[in-house]
């Protein structure tokens, strides 16, 4: 049907334009007939006022009366035609509005269908499964990192065995040093030297009284 009366630029479709033109033409003809009928009534009254003895005036009044009846019949027919045209125009405008609404609804439904095609139910289910798997992987990684950080609590048996071995070697080394006579004599001498150093008065700087 083309553009509606509310469309861009208020452009009316051709059928509606024709109906508007017909209605306007009928209205113009009705106004013209009303003027002719009013003038005929005046002419009739004028000729009748001349008296029944004036045969010419009586004849003119008779012809004018016949014209008036013809104008009135034409006006009655035009009024019926005008009603039909207005009724058809109203139906046409109502149909045009309904068609525009249907087009808008159809376009909206197609847009919804296109959007739904971009997010099918299977894709949503797969996405939720992938999100659940990712969350589970993150939990496993976090748990693994926590286990690695807890090695000092004795869960790492190899490291604990190595630590015990180092402690045993250090204990044996200390026992060997204590059993060595040279190491035993050096310890008292070193202690005496430290005591003498603490008891010796500190030297004053040169030039200071």
């Amino acid at each position: 049907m083309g553009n509606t009366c509310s469309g861009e630029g208020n452009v009316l479709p051709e059928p509606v334009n024709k109906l508007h033109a017909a209605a306007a033409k009928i209205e113009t003809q009705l106004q013209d007939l009303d003027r002719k009928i009013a003038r005929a009534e005046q002419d009739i009254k004028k000729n009748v006022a001349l008296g029944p003895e004036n045969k010419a005036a009586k004849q003119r009044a008779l012809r004018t009366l016949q014209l008036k009846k013809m104008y009135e019949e034409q006006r009655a027919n035009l009024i019926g035609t005008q009603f039909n045209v207005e009724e058809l125009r109203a139906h046409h405008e109502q149909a045009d509005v309904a068609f525009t609404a249907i087009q808008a609804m159809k376009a909206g439904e197609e847009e919804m269908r296109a959007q739904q095609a971009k997010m099918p139910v299977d894709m949503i289910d797969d996405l939720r499964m992938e999100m659940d798997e990712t969350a589970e992987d993150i939990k496993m990684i976090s748990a693994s990192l926590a286990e690695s950080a807890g090695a000092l609590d004795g869960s790492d048996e190899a490291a604990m065995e190595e630590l015990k071995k180092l402690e045993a070697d250090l204990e044996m080394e200390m026992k060997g040093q204590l059993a060595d006579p040279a190491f035993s004599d050096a310890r008292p001498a070193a202690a005496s030297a430290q005591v003498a150093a603490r008891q010796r008065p500190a030297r004053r700087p040169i030039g200071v009284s």
Side-chain angles (χ1 to χ4, degrees):
M1 285 189 180
N3 297 327
T4 64
C5 57
S6 60
E8 183 178 356
N10 294 328
V11 178
L12 294 173
E14 184 177 356
V16 177
N17 272 329
K18 289 183 177 180
L19 289 173
H20 277 288
K25 186 175 182 180
I26 292 173
E27 183 62 28
T28 301
Q29 290 178 350
L30 285 173
Q31 293 175 1
D32 184 58
L33 286 171
D34 287 337
R35 286 192 295 268
K36 288 180 179 180
I37 291 171
R39 188 168 57 249
E41 289 177 349
Q42 292 177 358
D43 292 341
I44 292 171
K45 291 179 181 179
K46 184 189 299 183
N47 288 298
V48 170
L50 294 176
E53 293 83 7
N54 192 331
K55 294 184 179 181
K58 186 177 181 179
Q59 189 66 25
R60 287 195 299 270
L62 182 60
R63 289 198 302 267
T64 305
L65 183 59
Q66 291 174 346
L67 285 174
K68 177 177 175 289
K69 289 182 178 181
M70 183 184 68
Y71 294 151
E72 289 174 347
E73 289 178 359
Q74 290 179 355
R75 185 178 64 177
N77 292 333
L78 280 176
I79 290 175
T81 303
Q82 184 184 43
F83 174 79
N84 293 331
V85 170
E86 291 294 338
E87 185 179 25
L88 180 59
R89 185 170 64 173
H91 289 330
H92 192 283
E93 291 177 352
Q94 185 177 4
D96 191 63
V97 170
F99 180 75
T100 302
I102 291 173
Q103 282 185 320
M105 293 170 63
K106 186 174 184 298
E109 191 275 335
E110 290 177 352
E111 184 178 359
M112 289 176 58
R113 191 186 309 138
Q115 291 176 347
Q116 183 181 5
K118 296 178 182 179
M119 48 180 182
V121 177
D122 294 341
M123 184 186 73
I124 301 300
D125 292 339
D126 293 342
L127 179 60
R128 291 186 61 182
M129 290 180 61
E130 291 176 359
M131 292 174 61
D132 293 341
E133 291 178 357
T134 302
E136 188 65 27
D137 291 342
I138 292 175
K139 290 181 180 179
M140 293 177 63
I141 292 172
S142 300
S144 178
L145 291 174
E147 291 177 0
S148 298
L152 294 178
D153 62 358
S155 58
D156 192 342
E157 296 181 359
M160 292 300 295
E161 290 294 331
E162 184 175 358
L163 180 60
K164 290 179 179 180
K165 182 178 180 182
L166 289 173
E167 290 175 347
D169 293 343
L170 180 61
E171 185 179 358
M172 291 179 63
E173 182 178 353
M174 291 298 295
K175 289 180 179 181
Q177 289 177 355
L178 292 175
D180 188 353
F183 180 76
S184 300
D185 295 340
R187 291 183 64 187
S192 300
Q194 291 178 358
V195 172
R198 286 196 298 267
Q199 293 177 353
R200 186 183 303 115
R203 296 182 178 179
R204 293 183 179 179
I206 300 174
V208 179
S209 57

